[in-house]
Amino acid sequence: MTAALALGDDALVLSHRLGEWAGHAPVLEEEVALANIALDLLGQARMLLSFVGDEDQLAYLREERAFRNVQLVEQPNGDFAHTMARQLYFSVYQHLLYEELAAGEGEFADLAAKAVKEVAYHRDHAEQWVLRLGDGTAESHERMQLGLDALWRFTGELFEPVGGVDIDRSALSDRWLAAVTSVVERATLTVPSGPQSGAWAAGAGRQGLHTEPFGRMLAEMQHLHRSHPGASW
Amino acid sequence: MSSSTDWPLWEVFVRSRRGLSHTHAGSLHAPDAEMALRNARDLYTRRSEGVSLWVVPSTEITASSPDEKDSFFEPAGDKPYRHPTFYEIPEGVKHL
């Protein structure tokens, strides 16, 4: 129950953030790519939240403190490089996690087996862009590094235990760091050196504590349903 | 959406099933071939439309000129032996 809510909220919130690029992406092709990733995540969120209860109720009528997503996924898009940094950190984590869940026999094995193909593509998309922006122009390099640095302190939370997801979190963290380091270094960038967890790191999203921009995001995501309950077309 | 004009244009060819040939599906902008393939996947094969993709730089395509239309496309009509119209197509033959 807790696990489905945590994983489902991660997917739902990141889906909404990526959806915010619609109409604002740097090029049309990339707008479609981001919307596709958002739709994949929305599909995962629907399945996961339906384990817990009514998906509309959960998405549109919960208060901020009832959401269990990690703080990484609620961070605003920033510029394109910032979004790609968030995508790299999250999709590498999600890919490694879902691969492991799919290989196991837990309640999420079937769902993870379906989702892992989608997530592999999200990861590839993020890695391709980090490589190109990092090893691109002086400006793209600088922006990509800024994105990686700014979001680093949100990454420790990805590896905190979630009740109901029975995997070795520290092994997952090691594999994540190795994968991210490999991409970042090939992109001629530097893996941030600040703390991932501890006093100066972020990460109480799983307990329902969220960062300031999340409230505004929820207001936008929920206002239509709250203004017109039960509306349909 | 202005920077897309800085990127080269690519023509996309999709093979919809094994055994069929690749068919032109459209075009897109991308910074390089690998990204062009990924964009093509997102734009043209998301609903299981294909099993294989080609991307070709549009500048690499040599097209016939509209001025040469007659000499290219209107062969003499008095040589019916050029047209395989005397054969019955056997039943059950697909993709002909």
Side-chain angles (χ1 to χ4, degrees):
Chain A
M1 201 79 149
T2 350
L5 202 57
L7 302 183
D9 282 349
D10 283 352
L12 175 66
V13 171
L14 187 57
S15 168
H16 189 84
R17 280 295 186 207
L18 290 172
E20 290 174 356
W21 274 107
H24 302 278
V27 296
L28 185 60
E29 285 82 353
E30 200 48 44
E31 180 162 309
V32 175
L34 292 171
N36 280 337
I37 294 173
L39 284 174
D40 286 344
L41 290 166
L42 190 64
Q44 295 165 16
R46 291 187 61 179
M47 281 199 283
L48 285 159
L49 293 182
S50 65
F51 285 150
V52 183
D54 179 70
E55 50 189 279
D56 282 346
Q57 170 83 24
L58 288 164
Y60 294 125
L61 295 173
R62 260 185 307 162
E63 300 292 334
E64 180 179 331
R65 286 285 182 108
F67 278 80
R68 290 291 177 267
N69 54 284
V70 290
Q71 292 179 354
L72 175 66
V73 295
E74 74 201 33
Q75 296 311 304
N77 288 333
D79 61 15
F80 186 74
H82 196 88
T83 293
M84 283 306 113
R86 195 183 60 202
Q87 283 302 104
L88 178 74
Y89 290 158
F90 187 77
S91 63
V92 171
Y93 151 80
Q94 201 191 11
H95 187 227
L96 295 172
L97 174 69
Y98 277 29
E99 269 186 339
E100 199 158 324
L101 291 177
E105 289 171 356
E107 58 174 329
F108 300 119
D110 287 349
L111 180 143
K114 276 187 216 145
V116 77
K117 283 186 282 186
E118 297 172 344
V119 176
Y121 187 78
H122 305 171
R123 175 180 174 176
D124 176 73
H125 176 264
E127 290 181 353
Q128 296 292 336
W129 272 116
V130 171
L131 289 173
R132 281 162 178 75
L133 294 172
D135 198 8
T137 65
E139 184 175 0
S140 73
H141 179 92
E142 191 192 338
R143 286 181 182 231
M144 195 64 243
Q145 188 65 56
L146 284 173
L148 292 173
D149 292 348
L151 293 169
W152 184 252
R153 68 194 191 93
F154 294 102
T155 55
E157 190 184 5
L158 296 171
F159 308 104
E160 282 175 16
V162 175
V165 181
D166 185 23
I167 55 160
D168 182 346
R169 291 264 152 185
S170 82
L172 183 69
S173 172
D174 291 346
R175 285 161 62 217
W176 178 88
L177 185 61
V180 167
T181 301
S182 156
V183 176
V184 168
E185 287 181 351
R186 270 191 294 145
T188 72
L189 296 158
T190 311
V191 177
S193 54
Q196 276 180 289
S197 53
W200 291 101
R206 297 279 190 236
Q207 288 81 51
L209 298 178
H210 296 282
T211 54
E212 194 184 338
F214 186 53
R216 294 197 291 276
M217 193 210 96
L218 271 191
E220 186 173 320
M221 188 174 95
Q222 297 183 332
H223 100 268
L224 188 71
H225 189 88
R226 287 182 184 270
S227 311
H228 305 278
S232 63
W233 66 65
Chain B
M1 302 259 167
S2 58
S3 57
S4 69
T5 51
D6 303 334
W7 287 355
L9 190 66
W10 303 76
E11 301 298 326
V12 180
F13 297 83
V14 180
R15 165 182 274 170
S16 54
R17 265 184 296 152
R18 283 173 58 85
L20 295 187
S21 48
H22 286 74
T23 311
H24 187 234
S27 56
L28 52 79
H29 288 98
D32 54 54
E34 281 184 51
M35 295 307 281
L37 264 187
R38 285 165 177 79
N39 289 346
R41 177 263 193 193
D42 280 331
L43 288 167
Y44 296 110
T45 67
R46 276 276 296 182
R47 295 168 196 86
S48 307
E49 292 97 334
V51 294
S52 166
L53 277 171
W54 288 347
V55 289
V56 179
S58 302
T59 51
E60 293 297 309
I61 289 180
T62 309
S64 61
S65 155
D67 299 338
E68 297 166 326
K69 188 162 71 85
D70 290 351
S71 56
F72 265 62
F73 301 118
E74 289 185 17
D78 59 352
K79 301 187 183 68
Y81 46 84
R82 280 183 173 169
H83 304 283
T85 51
F86 301 108
Y87 304 97
E88 299 276 320
I89 297 173
E91 271 183 44
V93 173
K94 289 173 188 162
H95 312 312
L96 198 67

